[in-house]
Amino acid sequence: METEISTQAVGLASSADFSLMNLFLKADIIVKSVIIILIACSIYSWAVIFEKIKLFKKINSSSDQFEDKFWKSKSAETFYNNLPQNISDPMALIFKESMQGIVKSKSKSNINERLASILEAGIEKQTSKIEKGFTFLATVGSTAPFIGLFGTVWGIMNSFQSIAISRNTSLAIVAPGIAEALFATALGLLAAIPAVVAYNKFNNDLRRYSQKLESFSKRFISII
């Protein structure tokens, strides 16, 4: 009898298809939903990651060029008058908005205080734009492992039900269900790890860029 069970287990194990696609197709609706959610989160996370990498590379370069041209100009007013209309650099936009505030202001008293307020608001506005997508990365990083764990627990429950129904404790009977469950865990980690690493990196990049904006603002105020 034991020989027959062993032979049956070996036969099931050898015939089982443990490819990722087959594991997904054979999973129940709950595990499939978990897998789809995690794959979608991972794809969107990578889209955000690549977009932010390009963004930080672009704004660091454009801000350096803007700052270099600004400090070589004769005056802030002359530089403002020659500024293109279609600028997109955050530092240039902050400068443009602050100059517009100075030009529109009728009173010239306490100009440094008002300029500091405009610059502070401008920095906050531009950093908020850059931060878009950070919350999603943080959410994926913190929740994806638990979503994957939910799929794992559900898959293992199904495996135990298979044992109860078949009354066969052979590992070959429950191996496909366990493989599906572990696949969900792996996807959860696959989505979470890059999101966490990218979130921490981009937060650090934003902190350095904000310091650059604040440094420019302080130097700009000093020459007004």
Side-chain angles (χ1 to χ4, degrees):
M1 184 67 179
E2 292 180 358
T3 305
E4 291 179 0
I5 294 175
S6 299
T7 303
Q8 182 183 17
V10 172
L12 288 170
S14 61
S15 63
D17 183 3
F18 291 98
S19 66
L20 299 182
M21 181 59 69
N22 190 62
L23 291 176
F24 173 76
L25 294 175
K26 288 187 176 180
D28 70 354
I29 187 64
I30 300 297
V31 179
K32 280 182 179 177
S33 299
V34 168
I35 291 173
I36 290 172
I37 290 171
L38 291 174
I39 291 175
C41 288
S42 181
I43 291 173
Y44 190 76
S45 292
W46 279 108
V48 172
I49 290 169
F50 286 125
E51 189 270 332
K52 294 303 176 185
I53 290 173
K54 290 173 60 179
L55 176 64
F56 277 109
K57 184 178 180 181
K58 176 183 176 182
I59 62 177
N60 278 308
S61 176
S62 61
S63 292
D64 287 342
Q65 292 176 8
F66 169 82
E67 197 168 8
D68 184 60
K69 291 178 181 178
F70 175 78
W71 295 115
K72 288 180 179 179
S73 63
K74 294 180 179 179
S75 66
E77 292 79 4
T78 303
F79 188 77
Y80 169 70
N81 292 331
N82 295 327
L83 202 63
Q85 294 294 324
N86 58 342
I87 55 173
S88 60
D89 176 69
M91 185 179 289
L93 288 172
I94 291 171
F95 167 75
K96 183 179 180 180
E97 290 174 0
S98 64
M99 288 300 295
Q100 288 175 342
I102 294 174
V103 171
K104 292 179 181 179
S105 178
K106 296 180 180 179
S107 174
K108 299 301 179 183
S109 61
N110 299 324
I111 188 170
N112 283 355
E113 294 181 6
R114 287 184 286 108
L115 180 58
S117 178
I118 294 172
L119 289 169
E120 183 179 352
I123 292 174
E124 184 176 350
K125 178 181 177 181
Q126 295 303 321
T127 53
S128 295
K129 289 181 180 179
I130 298 171
E131 279 180 331
K132 287 182 179 178
F134 283 23
T135 302
F136 180 81
L137 292 177
T139 302
V140 170
S142 60
T143 61
F146 296 102
I147 296 173
L149 183 60
F150 170 73
T152 299
V153 172
W154 190 270
I156 291 175
M157 286 173 56
N158 289 339
S159 297
F160 282 130
Q161 289 177 356
S162 299
I163 292 175
I165 293 171
S166 64
R167 297 182 180 180
N168 190 340
T169 58
S170 171
L171 183 61
I173 299 297
V174 296
I178 294 175
E180 296 166 7
L182 296 177
F183 181 41
T185 300
L187 282 178
L189 295 174
L190 186 65
I193 292 173
V196 171
V197 173
Y199 176 77
N200 291 333
K201 179 187 183 303
F202 294 147
N203 259 335
N204 190 46
D205 290 344
L206 180 60
R207 179 182 58 80
R208 289 201 302 265
Y209 188 73
S210 296
Q211 290 175 349
K212 182 186 291 186
L213 295 179
E214 290 172 3
S215 176
F216 170 77
S217 299
K218 291 176 182 179
R219 293 178 65 190
F220 177 48
I221 292 173
S222 67
I223 65 171
I224 296 299

